[in-house]
Amino acid sequence: MKVKVNLKKPVKPLSCTKETSLKTSDLIRLYYFLKLTRMFDEITVRLKRQGKITGGVFSSLGQEATAVGTAYALEPQDFIAPLIRDIGACFVKGILPREIFASYLGRATSPNRGTDLQFHFARLEKGFIGPISHLGDMVSVMAGVLLASRMKKENRVAVAYVGEGATSTGAFHEGINFAAVQKLPLITVIENNGYAYSTPTYKQCAAKSFVDKAIGYGILGLQVDGNDVVACYEVMKKAVEYARRESQSVLIEAITYRRKGHAEHDNQAYVPAGEIEWWAENNDPIKRFELFLVEEKVASKEELKKIESEVAEYLEQELEIAESAPPPEPITAAYEVFDNSVVPPAIKKKFLS
Amino acid sequence: MKDRKVTFIEAIRQGLWEEMKRDKSVFIIGEDVGTYGGAFKLTEGFIDEFGPERVIDTPISEAAIVGVACGAALMGMRPVAEFQFIDFISCGFDMLTNYAAKSRYRGCGAIPAVFRGPCGAGVRAGPFHSLNAESFFLNTAGLKMVEPSTPYDAKGLIKAAIRDPDPVLFFEHKKLYRLPRIKQELPEEDYIVPIGKARIARQGRDLSIITFGAQVLNALDAAEILEKQDGLSVEVLDLRTLSPLDKESILETVRKTNRVVILHEASITGGIGGEISAIIAEEAFEWLDAPIIRIGSIDTPVPFAPQLEDYHLPSIEEIVSACRKLAEY
Ligand SMILES: Cc1ncc(C[n+]2csc(CCOP(=O)(O)OP(=O)(O)O)c2C)c(N)n1
C-alpha cells in the first residue's frame, strides 16, 4: 500500500480559514512569528554550512504554521514541550532567538551552558520545557507537569508536540494513556509531516489517520490543516477550552509537510518526484497566510514586507548577541550533575603534579 | 592503482552482506535501514539486493525491534537489528535484559540475534547521540558485547556475532566509520574474528594500556609519544570483546609489563575499567609493580560544546601523564 500523492494544482490558490475570532493585531502577530521562524531557520542553515553549528539542524520549513498557530492559543501559565521542528512554538512562548542561537552555537550564555544543543533547555518560568532526543519521552513529562498543577491548583494545560513517527514509541502510548486515565488536561499535537526521517507515514501506522488513535485512549480527537495557521489557532483554542473546562486530554493531528530532509545531510532521494515542489508551490503556510491577510485587508503587501525586514534586522541583532558570547570554560563541564553544595563537581583527576 | 583498503563502515557492510549471501536466515531490521540505507548509510543498497522481506524498515519502536528480533531468532532466524544511535538502546533495555538475556537460561530457547549501532562520543553530538552503553549491560548475564577498533576486526566480528548462538550487542564507534587512518586491506576469503579474544595492538615491555574501541587510537598515539620522549615501551591491548572478557589476555599483559592503565571512553564510575581492575587485583596482584590506573570520561553526561566535551573525554595528554606516573612508581 502506497500513499497516492495528489499533485494537482488547486483550483484556487489556498488561503486560510476565514472563520476566526482573532483580532487584526493578533493576526499580524501570527505573521510575525511565522516569519521569525522561517528566517531563524534560514540563518541556522547558513551557520551550519559555515561550519559554525556542529550539531544537527532540523528545519521546520513548510510546517511553521502548526507550531505557531497552536502555541498562540495558550495562556502564559500553560506549558509546552516542543519537538525539534517547533521552534515557532518556542518563540510564541517567549524564548528569545539569542537563547536558541547560543545553544546551537554551544555558547556559555545558552540556558543549558553549552551542555546540550538546539533548544534542549528549559525555561520553567515561561512554561517551556525543551525536549530530549528520545522521541515520545516528553508526553509523560507533561502529564507530570499537569499532575503537579492539579495538586497545586494552578489551572494549567500543557501541550506535548510529537511527530507522527514518535507515535510509534512506547513512551508516547504510556504517556498519553496515563494522562487520559488521570483526566489531565494534556493536549498532544501530532505533527503529521509525511515522513519520519525517511520513513513514510504508511510504514509508521496502519490506521487511516493518526487522529483515530484518540478513540483508543478515550479522549477527544481533532484534525486540522497544519498549514493553515488560523485553523491551527482555532482548533487549539477549542482544545484548550475543553481541556481546561472538563479536565480531559485531547489529541490533535495537524497535517503538514516536511519540505527539507530530516537534517541537512539528507538528500530526500526517497521522496516521490514533484512532491516537495508541489507543497512549496501550492501549500506553503506563509504564502497562504499572506494571501489571507491581503484578501481580508488585514495588511497590505508593503506592510508585510516591512515586518519581514524588521524580523531580519532583529534576528541579525540576536545572532550577534549570541555569537559574540564566549564559549564555556572547559572546567564547567564538571559542574551541575548534582547540586554541587551536596555533591562536589566531577573535576578531572591530575596524574602528575 | 585502485585503493583496496576499506573503511571501518565498509568492513561491517561487507561482513553483513556476505553473511546475508551465505545464510538465508540472516535479515536486517531497524529504522530507515531499507530504502534510505540507514542513518550512516551502512546498509545502503541492501534492500535492492535482498528485498524488503530481509531488510525491514520499522516504525520508531525500539522495544518492538528487539522483541521481534528475539521472536524471530527463537524460530531459527538470524536477525541483525539496528539502533539508529546506540543511545536509543535504552528504549529496548527491558526486552534486551529481560527477554534476550534470560531466554536460554530459562529453558525457553536460544536467541542468536545481533543488536548493533553507532556508539561513542567526540563528534559534538551532545548528551543523546554519544553514548557508550557497555556498562549498562556488563552486569546482565546472557548478553555478549563486542566493540572492534579496526576494519579487519569489525568484519570478522560482525560475522562471528551473526553466527554466534547467543545474543550479541555490537557497538560501532561512529568516529571510526570513515576514518582514513584506520583503513585496511581485507582478506579475499571468508574469515571470522572469534568473540571473546583480545588482540595486542602494539607490543611493549614497560607498561600496558588495556582499552577498546576508538580509545585504541588514543592509546597508540600515547604509546608513540612515550616511546619517543621517554623511551618507554608500551603495550596496547585491544579487548575487542567486552563480555565475556578475555581474562587470559588481560592477565598475560599484566604479567608481562607489571604496570597497567585501563582506558575507556564511558564515565569512570561503574565503567568496565572497574571490572578489569578487579580481575587483575584478584588474579595477578603479585605481578603488579604499581597501582592500577583507570582513565575514563568524567562522571557527567556527554556535553555538547567542544570545550566541554574535550574536558569530559579522556585525552592523549592524560594517558601520557598517567603512564609516566606508573613508570616512575
Ligand atoms: C526513541 C528514538 N528512536 C530513534 C530516534 C532517531 N530519530 C530522530 S528523529 C527521527 C524521526 C522522527 O520523526 P517524527 O517523529 O515524525 O518527527 P519529524 O522529524 O518528522 O518532525 C528518528 C527516527 C530518536 N530520536 N528517538
Side-chain angles (χ1 to χ4, degrees), chain B residues 220-291:
Chain B
L220 291 172
D221 289 348
E224 201 58 37
I225 293 170
L226 288 159
E227 171 150 334
K228 286 219 179 81
Q229 299 182 1
D230 306 59
L232 284 172
S233 163
V234 178
E235 180 147 300
V236 176
L237 185 72
D238 176 0
L239 290 168
R240 303 195 292 194
T241 295
L242 309 180
S243 188
L245 281 165
D246 182 357
K247 280 192 189 179
E248 207 26 63
S249 296
I250 292 168
L251 297 173
E252 207 171 290
T253 191
V254 175
R255 287 188 223 113
K256 184 172 168 192
T257 68
N258 317 115
R259 289 174 163 82
V260 196
V261 169
I262 303 161
L263 167 66
H264 57 68
E265 199 178 277
S267 288
I268 197 81
T269 302
I272 195 170
E275 184 60 29
I276 298 166
S277 70
I279 292 169
I280 297 169
E282 283 176 356
E283 299 190 34
F285 181 72
E286 59 275 26
W287 290 90
L288 288 173
D289 287 344

Coordinates of all heavy atoms in Angstrom, one line a residue, chain B residues 220-291:
Chain B
L220 N 47.4 4.2 21.2 CA 48.5 4.0 20.3 C 49.3 5.3 20.2 O 50.6 5.3 20.1 CB 48.1 3.5 19.0 CG 47.5 2.1 18.9 CD1 46.9 1.8 17.6 CD2 48.6 1.1 19.2
D221 N 48.6 6.4 20.1 CA 49.2 7.7 20.0 C 50.0 8.1 21.3 O 51.2 8.6 21.2 CB 48.2 8.9 19.8 CG 47.6 8.8 18.4 OD1 48.1 8.0 17.5 OD2 46.6 9.4 18.1
A222 N 49.5 7.7 22.4 CA 50.2 8.0 23.7 C 51.4 7.1 23.7 O 52.5 7.5 24.1 CB 49.2 7.7 24.8
A223 N 51.3 5.9 23.3 CA 52.4 4.9 23.3 C 53.6 5.5 22.4 O 54.7 5.4 22.8 CB 52.0 3.5 22.8
E224 N 53.2 6.0 21.3 CA 54.2 6.6 20.4 C 55.0 7.7 21.0 O 56.2 7.8 21.0 CB 53.4 7.1 19.1 CG 54.2 7.3 17.9 CD 54.9 6.0 17.4 OE1 54.3 4.9 17.5 OE2 56.0 6.1 16.9
I225 N 54.2 8.6 21.7 CA 54.8 9.8 22.4 C 55.7 9.3 23.5 O 56.9 9.7 23.6 CB 53.7 10.7 23.0 CG1 52.9 11.4 21.8 CG2 54.3 11.7 23.9 CD1 51.7 12.1 22.3
L226 N 55.3 8.3 24.2 CA 56.1 7.8 25.4 C 57.4 7.1 24.9 O 58.4 7.2 25.5 CB 55.2 6.8 26.2 CG 54.1 7.5 27.0 CD1 53.0 6.6 27.4 CD2 54.7 8.2 28.2
E227 N 57.3 6.4 23.7 CA 58.5 5.8 23.2 C 59.5 6.9 22.8 O 60.7 6.8 23.1 CB 58.1 4.9 22.0 CG 59.3 4.4 21.3 CD 59.1 3.0 20.6 OE1 58.2 2.3 21.1 OE2 59.7 2.7 19.7
K228 N 59.0 7.9 22.0 CA 59.9 8.9 21.5 C 60.5 9.8 22.6 O 61.6 10.0 22.7 CB 59.1 9.8 20.6 CG 58.8 9.2 19.2 CD 58.9 10.2 18.1 CE 58.6 9.6 16.7 NZ 57.1 9.4 16.5
Q229 N 59.6 10.2 23.5 CA 60.0 11.2 24.5 C 60.6 10.6 25.8 O 61.4 11.2 26.5 CB 58.9 12.1 24.9 CG 58.4 12.9 23.7 CD 57.3 13.9 24.1 OE1 56.9 14.0 25.2 NE2 56.8 14.6 23.1
D230 N 60.2 9.4 26.2 CA 60.6 8.8 27.4 C 61.3 7.4 27.3 O 61.7 6.8 28.2 CB 59.4 8.5 28.3 CG 58.5 9.8 28.6 OD1 58.0 10.3 27.6 OD2 58.4 10.2 29.7
G231 N 61.4 7.0 26.0 CA 62.0 5.7 25.8 C 61.2 4.5 26.4 O 61.8 3.4 26.7
L232 N 59.9 4.7 26.6 CA 59.1 3.7 27.3 C 58.5 2.8 26.2 O 58.0 3.2 25.2 CB 58.0 4.3 28.1 CG 58.3 4.9 29.5 CD1 57.1 5.6 30.0 CD2 58.8 3.8 30.4
S233 N 58.5 1.5 26.5 CA 57.9 0.5 25.6 C 56.5 0.2 26.1 O 56.3 -0.5 27.1 CB 58.8 -0.7 25.5 OG 58.1 -1.8 25.0
V234 N 55.4 0.6 25.5 CA 54.1 0.5 25.9 C 53.3 -0.5 25.1 O 53.3 -0.5 23.9 CB 53.3 1.9 25.9 CG1 51.9 1.7 26.3 CG2 54.1 2.9 26.7
E235 N 52.7 -1.5 25.8 CA 51.9 -2.5 25.2 C 50.4 -2.0 25.1 O 49.9 -1.4 26.1 CB 51.9 -3.8 25.9 CG 51.1 -4.9 25.3 CD 51.7 -6.3 25.4 OE1 52.9 -6.5 24.9 OE2 51.1 -7.1 26.0
V236 N 49.7 -2.1 24.0 CA 48.3 -1.8 24.0 C 47.5 -3.0 23.7 O 47.7 -3.7 22.7 CB 48.1 -0.7 22.8 CG1 46.6 -0.4 22.7 CG2 48.8 0.6 23.1
L237 N 46.6 -3.3 24.6 CA 45.7 -4.5 24.5 C 44.3 -4.0 24.1 O 43.7 -3.3 24.8 CB 45.6 -5.3 25.8 CG 44.8 -6.6 25.7 CD1 45.6 -7.6 24.9 CD2 44.5 -7.1 27.1
D238 N 43.9 -4.4 22.9 CA 42.6 -4.1 22.4 C 41.6 -5.2 22.7 O 41.7 -6.3 22.2 CB 42.7 -3.9 20.8 CG 41.3 -3.6 20.2 OD1 40.3 -3.5 20.9 OD2 41.3 -3.4 19.0
L239 N 40.7 -5.0 23.6 CA 39.9 -6.1 24.1 C 39.0 -6.7 23.1 O 38.7 -7.9 23.1 CB 39.0 -5.5 25.3 CG 39.7 -5.2 26.6 CD1 38.8 -4.4 27.5 CD2 40.3 -6.4 27.2
R240 N 38.5 -5.9 22.2 CA 37.5 -6.3 21.1 C 36.2 -6.9 21.6 O 35.2 -6.5 21.2 CB 38.2 -7.4 20.2 CG 39.5 -6.9 19.5 CD 39.9 -7.7 18.4 NE 40.3 -9.1 18.8 CZ 41.0 -9.9 18.0 NH1 41.2 -9.5 16.7 NH2 41.3 -11.1 18.4
T241 N 36.3 -7.8 22.6 CA 35.1 -8.3 23.2 C 35.0 -7.8 24.6 O 36.0 -7.9 25.4 CB 35.0 -9.9 23.2 OG1 35.0 -10.4 21.9 CG2 33.8 -10.4 24.0
L242 N 33.8 -7.3 25.0 CA 33.7 -6.7 26.3 C 33.0 -7.6 27.3 O 33.1 -7.5 28.5 CB 33.0 -5.4 26.2 CG 33.6 -4.4 25.2 CD1 32.8 -3.1 25.2 CD2 35.0 -4.1 25.5
S243 N 32.2 -8.6 26.7 CA 31.6 -9.6 27.5 C 31.4 -10.8 26.7 O 30.7 -10.7 25.6 CB 30.3 -9.0 28.1 OG 29.7 -9.9 29.0
P244 N 31.9 -12.0 27.1 CA 32.8 -12.2 28.2 C 34.2 -11.7 28.0 O 34.7 -11.8 26.9 CB 32.8 -13.7 28.3 CG 32.5 -14.2 26.9 CD 31.6 -13.2 26.3
L245 N 34.8 -11.1 29.0 CA 36.1 -10.5 28.9 C 37.2 -11.6 28.7 O 37.0 -12.7 29.2 CB 36.5 -9.7 30.1 CG 35.9 -8.3 30.2 CD1 36.0 -7.8 31.6 CD2 36.6 -7.4 29.2
D246 N 38.2 -11.3 27.9 CA 39.3 -12.2 27.7 C 40.3 -12.1 28.8 O 41.3 -11.4 28.8 CB 40.0 -11.9 26.4 CG 41.1 -12.9 26.0 OD1 41.4 -13.8 26.8 OD2 41.7 -12.7 24.9
K247 N 39.9 -12.8 29.9 CA 40.7 -12.7 31.2 C 42.2 -13.1 30.9 O 43.1 -12.5 31.4 CB 40.2 -13.6 32.2 CG 39.0 -13.1 33.0 CD 38.7 -14.0 34.2 CE 37.4 -13.5 34.8 NZ 37.1 -14.4 36.0
E248 N 42.4 -14.2 30.1 CA 43.7 -14.7 29.9 C 44.6 -13.6 29.3 O 45.7 -13.4 29.7 CB 43.7 -16.0 29.1 CG 44.8 -16.9 29.3 CD 45.4 -16.8 30.7 OE1 44.7 -17.1 31.7 OE2 46.6 -16.4 30.8
S249 N 44.1 -12.9 28.3 CA 45.0 -11.9 27.6 C 45.2 -10.7 28.6 O 46.3 -10.1 28.5 CB 44.3 -11.4 26.4 OG 44.2 -12.4 25.4
I250 N 44.2 -10.4 29.4 CA 44.4 -9.3 30.3 C 45.5 -9.7 31.3 O 46.5 -8.9 31.6 CB 43.1 -9.0 31.1 CG1 42.0 -8.4 30.1 CG2 43.3 -8.1 32.3 CD1 40.6 -8.4 30.7
L251 N 45.4 -10.9 31.9 CA 46.4 -11.3 32.9 C 47.8 -11.5 32.2 O 48.8 -11.1 32.9 CB 46.0 -12.6 33.5 CG 44.7 -12.5 34.3 CD1 44.2 -13.9 34.8 CD2 44.8 -11.5 35.5
E252 N 47.8 -11.9 31.0 CA 49.1 -12.1 30.3 C 49.9 -10.8 30.2 O 51.1 -10.7 30.4 CB 48.8 -12.7 29.0 CG 50.0 -13.6 28.5 CD 49.5 -14.3 27.2 OE1 48.7 -15.2 27.4 OE2 50.0 -13.9 26.1
T253 N 49.1 -9.7 29.8 CA 49.9 -8.5 29.6 C 50.3 -7.9 30.9 O 51.4 -7.3 31.0 CB 49.0 -7.5 28.7 OG1 49.9 -6.4 28.4 CG2 47.8 -6.9 29.5
V254 N 49.5 -8.1 32.0 CA 49.9 -7.7 33.3 C 51.2 -8.4 33.8 O 52.1 -7.8 34.2 CB 48.8 -7.9 34.3 CG1 49.2 -7.6 35.7 CG2 47.5 -7.1 34.0
R255 N 51.2 -9.7 33.5 CA 52.4 -10.5 33.9 C 53.6 -10.1 33.1 O 54.7 -10.2 33.6 CB 52.1 -12.0 33.7 CG 51.2 -12.6 34.8 CD 51.1 -14.1 34.7 NE 49.7 -14.6 34.8 CZ 49.0 -15.1 33.8 NH1 49.6 -15.4 32.6 NH2 47.8 -15.5 34.0
K256 N 53.4 -9.6 31.9 CA 54.5 -9.2 31.1 C 55.1 -7.8 31.5 O 56.3 -7.6 31.6 CB 54.0 -9.1 29.6 CG 55.0 -8.8 28.6 CD 54.4 -9.0 27.2 CE 55.3 -8.4 26.1 NZ 54.5 -8.4 24.8
T257 N 54.2 -6.8 31.7 CA 54.7 -5.5 31.9 C 54.6 -5.0 33.4 O 55.3 -4.0 33.7 CB 53.9 -4.5 31.1 OG1 52.6 -4.4 31.6 CG2 53.9 -4.8 29.6
N258 N 53.7 -5.6 34.1 CA 53.6 -5.3 35.6 C 53.0 -3.9 35.9 O 53.0 -3.5 37.1 CB 54.9 -5.5 36.3 CG 55.6 -6.8 35.9 OD1 56.7 -6.7 35.3 ND2 55.0 -7.9 36.1
R259 N 52.7 -3.2 34.9 CA 52.1 -1.9 35.1 C 50.9 -1.7 34.2 O 51.1 -1.9 33.0 CB 53.1 -0.7 34.9 CG 54.2 -0.7 35.9 CD 55.3 0.3 35.6 NE 56.1 0.7 36.7 CZ 57.1 0.0 37.1 NH1 57.4 -1.1 36.5 NH2 57.8 0.4 38.2
V260 N 49.8 -1.2 34.7 CA 48.6 -1.2 33.9 C 47.8 0.1 33.9 O 47.5 0.6 35.0 CB 47.6 -2.3 34.3 CG1 46.5 -2.5 33.2 CG2 48.2 -3.6 34.6
V261 N 47.5 0.6 32.8 CA 46.4 1.7 32.7 C 45.2 1.0 32.0 O 45.4 0.3 31.0 CB 47.0 2.8 31.8 CG1 45.8 3.8 31.5 CG2 48.1 3.6 32.5
I262 N 44.1 1.3 32.5 CA 42.8 0.8 31.8 C 42.1 2.1 31.3 O 41.9 3.0 32.0 CB 41.9 0.0 32.8 CG1 42.7 -1.2 33.4 CG2 40.7 -0.4 32.0 CD1 42.0 -1.7 34.6
L263 N 41.8 2.0 30.0 CA 41.3 3.2 29.4 C 40.0 3.0 28.7 O 39.9 2.0 27.9 CB 42.4 3.7 28.3 CG 42.0 4.8 27.3 CD1 41.7 6.1 28.0 CD2 43.1 4.9 26.2
H264 N 39.0 3.7 29.0 CA 37.7 3.6 28.2 C 37.1 5.0 28.1 O 37.4 5.9 28.9 CB 36.8 2.6 28.8 CG 36.4 2.8 30.2 ND1 35.6 3.8 30.7 CD2 36.7 2.0 31.3 CE1 35.4 3.7 32.0 NE2 36.1 2.6 32.4
E265 N 36.1 5.1 27.2 CA 35.5 6.4 26.9 C 34.3 6.7 27.8 O 34.0 7.8 28.0 CB 35.1 6.4 25.4 CG 34.9 7.8 24.9 CD 34.5 7.7 23.4 OE1 35.5 7.7 22.6 OE2 33.3 7.8 23.1
A266 N 33.7 5.6 28.3 CA 32.5 5.8 29.1 C 33.0 6.5 30.5 O 34.2 6.4 30.8 CB 31.8 4.5 29.4
S267 N 32.1 7.0 31.2 CA 32.4 7.6 32.5 C 33.1 6.6 33.4 O 32.8 5.4 33.3 CB 31.1 8.1 33.2 OG 30.7 9.3 32.6
I268 N 33.9 7.1 34.3 CA 34.8 6.2 35.0 C 34.1 5.4 36.1 O 34.4 4.2 36.2 CB 35.9 7.1 35.7 CG1 37.1 6.3 36.1 CG2 35.4 8.0 36.8 CD1 38.0 5.9 35.0
T269 N 33.1 6.0 36.8 CA 32.5 5.3 37.9 C 31.5 4.2 37.3 O 30.6 4.6 36.5 CB 31.7 6.3 38.8 OG1 32.7 7.2 39.3 CG2 31.1 5.5 39.9
G270 N 31.7 3.0 37.7 CA 30.9 1.9 37.3 C 31.2 1.5 35.9 O 30.5 0.7 35.3
G271 N 32.3 2.0 35.3 CA 32.7 1.6 34.0 C 33.3 0.2 34.0 O 33.6 -0.3 35.0
I272 N 33.6 -0.3 32.8 CA 34.2 -1.6 32.6 C 35.6 -1.7 33.2 O 36.0 -2.8 33.6 CB 34.1 -2.1 31.1 CG1 34.4 -3.6 31.0 CG2 35.1 -1.3 30.3 CD1 34.1 -4.1 29.6
G273 N 36.2 -0.5 33.3 CA 37.6 -0.5 33.9 C 37.6 -1.0 35.3 O 38.5 -1.7 35.8
G274 N 36.5 -0.8 36.1 CA 36.4 -1.3 37.4 C 36.4 -2.8 37.4 O 37.1 -3.5 38.3
E275 N 35.7 -3.4 36.5 CA 35.7 -4.9 36.4 C 37.1 -5.5 36.1 O 37.5 -6.4 36.7 CB 34.7 -5.3 35.4 CG 34.4 -6.8 35.2 CD 33.9 -7.4 36.5 OE1 33.2 -6.7 37.3 OE2 34.2 -8.6 36.7
I276 N 37.7 -4.8 35.1 CA 39.0 -5.3 34.7 C 40.0 -5.2 35.8 O 40.8 -6.1 36.1 CB 39.5 -4.5 33.4 CG1 38.5 -4.8 32.3 CG2 40.9 -4.9 33.0 CD1 38.6 -3.8 31.1
S277 N 39.9 -4.0 36.5 CA 40.9 -3.9 37.6 C 40.7 -4.9 38.7 O 41.6 -5.3 39.4 CB 41.1 -2.4 38.0 OG 39.9 -2.0 38.7
A278 N 39.4 -5.2 38.9 CA 39.1 -6.2 40.0 C 39.7 -7.6 39.6 O 40.2 -8.3 40.4 CB 37.6 -6.3 40.2
I279 N 39.6 -7.9 38.3 CA 40.1 -9.2 37.8 C 41.6 -9.2 38.0 O 42.2 -10.2 38.5 CB 39.8 -9.4 36.3 CG1 38.3 -9.6 36.1 CG2 40.7 -10.5 35.7 CD1 37.9 -9.5 34.6
I280 N 42.3 -8.1 37.7 CA 43.7 -8.0 37.9 C 44.1 -8.1 39.4 O 45.0 -8.8 39.8 CB 44.3 -6.7 37.2 CG1 44.0 -6.7 35.7 CG2 45.8 -6.6 37.5 CD1 44.3 -5.4 35.0
A281 N 43.4 -7.3 40.2 CA 43.7 -7.3 41.6 C 43.5 -8.7 42.2 O 44.3 -9.2 43.1 CB 42.8 -6.3 42.3
E282 N 42.5 -9.4 41.8 CA 42.2 -10.8 42.3 C 43.2 -11.8 41.8 O 43.6 -12.7 42.5 CB 40.8 -11.2 42.0 CG 39.7 -10.5 42.9 CD 38.3 -10.8 42.5 OE1 38.1 -11.5 41.4 OE2 37.4 -10.4 43.1
E283 N 43.5 -11.7 40.5 CA 44.2 -12.8 39.9 C 45.7 -12.5 39.6 O 46.4 -13.4 39.2 CB 43.5 -13.3 38.7 CG 42.1 -13.8 39.1 CD 41.3 -14.5 38.0 OE1 42.0 -15.2 37.2 OE2 40.1 -14.4 38.0
A284 N 46.1 -11.3 39.7 CA 47.5 -11.0 39.3 C 48.1 -10.0 40.2 O 49.1 -9.2 39.8 CB 47.6 -10.6 37.9
F285 N 47.6 -9.9 41.4 CA 48.1 -8.9 42.4 C 49.6 -8.9 42.5 O 50.3 -7.8 42.5 CB 47.4 -9.1 43.7 CG 47.8 -8.0 44.8 CD1 47.3 -6.7 44.6 CD2 48.6 -8.4 45.8 CE1 47.6 -5.8 45.6 CE2 48.9 -7.4 46.8 CZ 48.4 -6.1 46.6
E286 N 50.1 -10.1 42.7 CA 51.6 -10.2 43.0 C 52.4 -9.8 41.7 O 53.6 -9.6 41.9 CB 51.9 -11.6 43.5 CG 51.6 -12.7 42.6 CD 50.1 -13.2 42.7 OE1 49.2 -12.4 43.1 OE2 49.9 -14.3 42.4
W287 N 51.8 -9.7 40.6 CA 52.6 -9.3 39.4 C 52.6 -7.8 39.2 O 53.3 -7.3 38.3 CB 51.9 -9.9 38.1 CG 52.1 -11.4 38.1 CD1 51.2 -12.4 38.6 CD2 53.1 -12.1 37.5 NE1 51.7 -13.6 38.3 CE2 52.9 -13.5 37.6 CE3 54.3 -11.7 36.8 CZ2 53.7 -14.5 37.2 CZ3 55.2 -12.7 36.3 CH2 54.9 -14.1 36.5
L288 N 51.9 -7.1 40.0 CA 51.9 -5.6 39.8 C 53.0 -4.9 40.5 O 53.3 -5.2 41.7 CB 50.5 -5.0 40.4 CG 49.3 -5.3 39.6 CD1 48.0 -4.8 40.3 CD2 49.3 -4.7 38.2
D289 N 53.6 -4.0 39.8 CA 54.7 -3.2 40.4 C 54.2 -1.8 40.8 O 54.9 -1.0 41.3 CB 55.9 -3.0 39.5 CG 56.7 -4.3 39.4 OD1 56.5 -5.2 40.3 OD2 57.4 -4.5 38.4
A290 N 52.9 -1.5 40.4 CA 52.4 -0.2 40.7 C 50.9 -0.3 40.8 O 50.3 -1.3 40.3 CB 52.8 0.8 39.6
P291 N 50.2 0.7 41.4 CA 48.7 0.6 41.4 C 48.2 0.7 40.0 O 48.8 1.2 39.1 CB 48.3 1.9 42.2 CG 49.6 2.4 42.8 CD 50.7 1.9 42.0

